[in-house]
Amino acid sequence: MSNSYFGEIGAAVKTLATGLKITMKEYFTPKSTEQYPENRKTTLHVAKRHRGRLVFKRVTEEDLQDAKIQARGLKVGDYKCTACTMCEKSCPNDTIRITAHMETLEDGKKKKVLDDYLYDLGDCMFCQLCVNACNFDAIEFTNDFENSVFDRSQLELHLDKEVYEGGSLPNLINGGAPLTIGKFNTKTK
């Protein structure tokens, strides 16, 4: 019977009724609106693994216990980058450009010194290949997503010259506001 003309019409009406049932259910469900950006500081939650922008990692007190950090003579607050250019080479669309020079130390050894670490946030596709290629754990993506600007040139960041303190939202690095499943800062219309 299903192969007949009237069987096909019946199946089409059944499919149409199923779609209309879902549509009508959603039509009468109360709508809610996330109040962004007005209340973003109190209730906005961003996943910790969200890739928002690239930043340099700085040496902390805990890092000073590491033998590799001690051998390089770094202090608290210094960046970990050695200008090895592995991140630049792994970037598929040339978002990172590193400028460095060789410097001779007092003991006669040569060391590569970072002059500029240019990161173009506007061209980045947030693939995290640069972070994975870094042998010194010197860069990471934060979950700071508020990067809107009127001029694209402002998206070119010099990571070696800035100290990232977190974004415009409180506790953003740890995910922002605590995640509460099913509860939003909303207005019901």
Side-chain angles (χ1 to χ4, degrees):
M1 177 83 181
S2 66
N3 291 339
S4 71
Y5 177 74
F6 294 110
E8 293 295 325
I9 291 175
V13 169
K14 182 181 174 187
T15 304
L16 180 64
T18 303
L20 283 175
K21 179 180 140 188
I22 293 170
T23 301
M24 294 310 283
K25 179 182 165 193
E26 287 300 317
Y27 183 76
F28 291 109
T29 302
K31 305 299 180 267
S32 62
T33 304
E34 183 76 27
Q35 298 302 311
Y36 180 85
E38 291 84 14
N39 296 331
R40 71 184 189 274
K41 294 188 184 218
T42 56
T43 60
L44 183 66
H45 177 79
V46 181
K48 288 184 183 179
R49 65 180 182 220
H50 172 74
R51 299 176 194 155
R53 71 176 292 233
L54 192 68
V55 296
F56 264 179
K57 283 187 172 181
R58 302 286 175 162
V59 177
T60 61
E61 289 287 337
E62 296 85 33
D63 293 334
L64 290 177
Q65 310 305 322
D66 187 10
K68 291 179 183 177
I69 299 288
Q70 291 174 357
R72 290 176 48 203
L74 297 176
K75 303 178 296 288
V76 173
D78 289 347
Y79 51 80
K80 299 178 182 180
C81 183
T82 61
C84 68
T85 68
M86 288 303 294
C87 55
E88 182 180 20
K89 292 173 186 170
S90 68
C91 184
N93 57 346
D94 297 327
T95 298
I96 299 170
R97 290 186 293 281
I98 296 174
T99 308
H101 70 277
M102 294 301 286
E103 190 173 279
T104 306
L105 302 175
E106 295 112 22
D107 57 357
K109 293 182 181 178
K110 290 190 176 187
K111 178 182 175 183
K112 199 173 200 181
V113 177
L114 180 68
D115 292 329
D116 188 32
Y117 192 104
L118 181 66
Y119 166 63
D120 191 352
L121 181 64
D123 286 343
C124 184
M125 58 187 200
F126 309 101
C127 62
Q128 202 168 354
L129 290 174
C130 55
V131 175
N132 296 339
C134 183
N135 293 325
F136 300 96
D137 192 33
I139 54 177
E140 69 178 343
F141 273 100
T142 65
N143 52 9
D144 187 1
F145 64 92
E146 292 185 326
N147 299 311
S148 298
V149 292
F150 287 106
D151 184 17
R152 276 186 67 87
S153 65
Q154 293 176 336
L155 293 175
E156 291 183 353
L157 307 171
H158 299 273
L159 298 186
D160 58 319
K161 312 229 179 350
E162 71 172 17
V163 177
Y164 182 75
E165 299 288 338
S168 59
L169 297 171
N171 199 22
L172 181 68
I173 295 173
N174 296 323
L179 176 63
T180 308
I181 304 295
K183 182 174 181 185
F184 298 100
N185 178 24
T186 60
K187 284 185 181 174
T188 304
K189 290 186 176 181

